[in-house]
Amino acid sequence: MTTVNNFNFENKKALIRVDFNVPLDDAFQVTDTTRIEAAKPTILKILEDGGSVILMSHLGRPKGIDEKFSLKHIVNNVSNIIGVKVKFIESCVGEDAEKAVAELENGEILLLENLRFYPEEKNGDKTFAEQLSKLGDIYVNDAFGTAHRAHASTTIVAQFFPSNKCFGLLLAKEIESLNAVLNNSQKPVTAIIGGAKVSSKIDVIKNIIEKVDNIIIGGGMAYTFIKVKGGNIGDSIVEDDKLDVAQDILNLAKSKNTRIHLPIDVIAADAFSEDANTQVCDIYHIPDGWQGLDAGPKTNVGFSFVIAESKTILWNGPIGVFEMEKFAKGTIEIGNAIADATDEGAFSLVGGGDSVAAVKQFGLADKVSYVSTGGGAMLEMLEGKTLPGIEAILN
Ligand code: AMP
């Protein structure tokens, strides 16, 4: 895998696709700088070599040019995090952009305007990509969050750098971490798949079933499995049109000798609310009028035991409705079990929007081996798909 470490950037201009799609509040202040910090090692490597950096990113989903989505709002954050005053230009291509790049000295950083102000970006337009390519000597892709999109800046632009292209350190780390879980993993391997619906994770489960020893199924999606196994799940969330899929997954797991671990008890509530009355129930006997919103105490012990025995752990999706304190315990206990196993030497990867939010909320982000930065991109890799942004660098 070719990364920025394989190049010397002295006197070179690096055109880097980063993922600076950060959240802004109503006053256009950045509320979470994780994505900017994640790009720092790549940017510093290039500057320390004696090169200059041209940063390109999208922000939000603008329909055409819209000041609300201008990357000018984040210039100060990038300057403070990298420790170099960042220059900004209100375009991505054309004369002004080329002039700004020509004037850029070694050690300097230029941030281009939001790529999605140009419809050509999402259309993967080749002419636009060629214009972008004029802004750098070496193309670096460090944007895992958009690596599953064949956009001009994430994929098409790489064609214009037949040999001068590479992965940034963040994207390389994401690929290595997923590889460490799916391909070069130490056994036993345990995947914890949670979240609301089985429908969004079917392809993930099918793809990993042969690669892992255990799959823990938690969260709302567990009830579709319990129903197909003949349980009474009360008013719990269920996808009746996916019962056959759940059965297929159970059959496939059996034929591949992969153990599927389902909850055995739940915290059932009489409403989807923090004020609801609750009771602990056997998951196969949830009374009508009640819905399971978190794993129960016996389940937490069982799941934690499986995790403690694992050498490689993947976690995607919460175990209960962790946004409500009353139903967060299952997710917290899973997180703690993963942190403990990591402390004992296991490799753990957490990915997907909600489980990443959970590990951050519960202070566990530093206690797992790696927290992925890309939700959709990570899911597609787990589904076994080749991501166009990654392929474009490898080819
Ligand atoms: P997903 O986006 O599919 O990963 O789902 C994440 C969402 O699933 C979170 O917002 C959780 O609150 C929700 N969730 C987890 N467990 C349950 C459950 N038992 N019933 C309803 N929603 C759940």
Side-chain angles (χ1 to χ4, degrees):
M1 191 161 47
T2 312
T3 75
V4 285
N5 286 334
N6 299 97
F7 286 87
N8 182 347
F9 287 86
E10 194 177 359
N11 293 323
K12 299 279 186 228
K13 295 187 192 299
L15 177 66
I16 317 181
R17 179 48 158 109
V18 286
D19 178 6
F20 284 174
N21 184 26
V22 290
L24 299 178
D25 63 16
D26 292 344
F28 303 108
Q29 298 297 310
V30 180
T31 54
D32 182 349
T33 55
T34 309
R35 287 181 167 164
I36 302 174
E37 278 152 29
K40 186 174 176 178
T42 297
I43 297 170
L44 286 187
K45 148 73 182 158
I46 292 160
L47 297 181
E48 279 162 14
D49 273 3
S52 56
V53 165
I54 297 98
L55 297 172
M56 52 179 179
S57 177
H58 76 285
L59 176 66
R61 293 178 176 180
K63 293 188 179 66
I65 297 172
D66 182 345
E67 184 144 314
K68 284 203 297 270
F69 296 99
S70 171
L71 280 168
K72 72 180 179 190
H73 303 304
I74 74 161
V75 172
N76 286 341
N77 300 86
V78 184
S79 299
N80 292 339
I81 288 168
I82 309 297
V84 172
K85 194 160 178 1
V86 171
K87 296 180 170 178
F88 176 72
I89 175 141
E90 285 171 350
S91 57
C92 288
V93 291
E95 252 176 54
D96 287 354
E98 285 171 34
K99 186 164 170 279
V101 166
E103 288 169 0
L104 202 63
E105 310 245 348
N106 291 335
E108 291 190 327
I109 301 176
L110 174 71
L111 175 64
L112 306 180
E113 184 51 288
N114 191 343
L115 287 157
R116 291 199 188 161
F117 283 3
Y118 302 75
E120 294 93 332
E121 161 65 357
K122 280 180 83 174
N123 297 339
D125 185 89
K126 204 167 168 180
T127 310
F128 180 67
E130 187 173 15
Q131 286 177 302
L132 286 173
S133 75
K134 292 185 182 154
L135 306 180
D137 304 311
I138 301 171
Y139 169 66
V140 181
N141 190 352
D142 210 17
F144 184 57
T146 46
H148 57 318
R149 308 279 184 221
H151 294 170
S153 70
T154 63
T155 303
I156 313 301
V157 69
Q159 297 170 14
F160 300 98
F161 297 88
S163 52
N164 284 352
K165 58 184 175 180
C166 63
F167 293 109
L169 299 172
L170 170 69
L171 184 43
K173 189 95 201 260
E174 295 276 1
I175 298 169
E176 272 166 21
S177 303
L178 266 167
N179 250 331
V181 169
L182 294 182
N183 301 320
N184 305 317
S185 41
Q186 270 209 56
K187 289 182 164 287
V189 186
T190 297
I192 303 132
I193 309 291
K197 292 181 169 180
V198 66
S199 49
S200 59
K201 309 276 167 79
I202 294 165
D203 291 334
V204 171
I205 298 177
K206 285 189 172 163
N207 183 49
I208 63 175
I209 224 161
E210 257 184 272
K211 302 175 193 275
V212 304
D213 303 290
N214 301 293
I215 300 183
I216 290 176
I217 295 184
M221 72 169 69
Y223 301 98
T224 301
F225 288 88
I226 300 297
K227 184 162 180 181
V228 80
K229 289 178 75 151
N232 182 354
I233 57 166
D235 291 0
S236 306
I237 185 171
V238 65
E239 287 171 280
D240 281 317
D241 59 337
K242 293 289 176 293
L243 291 170
D244 52 343
V245 174
Q247 187 61 59
D248 285 350
I249 289 173
L250 293 172
N251 296 345
L252 187 63
K254 203 167 188 183
S255 71
K256 303 287 180 197
N257 275 332
T258 303
R259 281 182 297 280
I260 301 261
H261 303 268
L262 288 161
I264 49 179
D265 60 352
V266 298
I267 308 295
D270 60 359
F272 189 86
S273 154
E274 187 84 80
D275 308 321
N277 296 307
T278 60
Q279 59 170 315
V280 177
C281 296
D282 181 320
I283 198 166
Y284 286 86
H285 300 100
I286 302 176
D288 290 345
W290 293 73
Q291 54 187 306
L293 293 183
D294 195 12
K298 286 186 197 150
T299 302
N300 291 335
V301 170
F303 284 179
S304 296
F305 182 77
V306 175
I307 292 167
E309 300 279 292
S310 305
K311 289 275 176 283
T312 304
I313 302 159
L314 166 74
W315 183 18
N316 180 287
I319 293 303
V321 185
F322 75 100
E323 298 92 336
M324 297 187 211
E325 205 185 334
K326 226 176 196 168
F327 310 110
K329 195 157 193 275
T331 301
I332 294 174
E333 294 220 357
I334 283 280
N336 284 335
I338 297 172
D340 290 346
T342 310
D343 199 37
E344 293 290 318
F347 179 83
S348 55
L349 167 61
V350 182
D354 282 307
S355 25
V356 171
V359 290
K360 283 187 182 168
Q361 185 178 327
F362 304 129
L364 296 168
D366 294 336
K367 297 182 178 164
V368 298
S369 309
Y370 192 68
V371 180
S372 176
T373 57
M378 162 141 176
L379 275 186
E380 289 201 16
M381 274 184 89
L382 288 175
E383 287 168 2
K385 291 187 185 147
T386 312
L387 308 193
I390 294 176
E391 192 73 359
I393 299 287
L394 296 175
N395 281 338

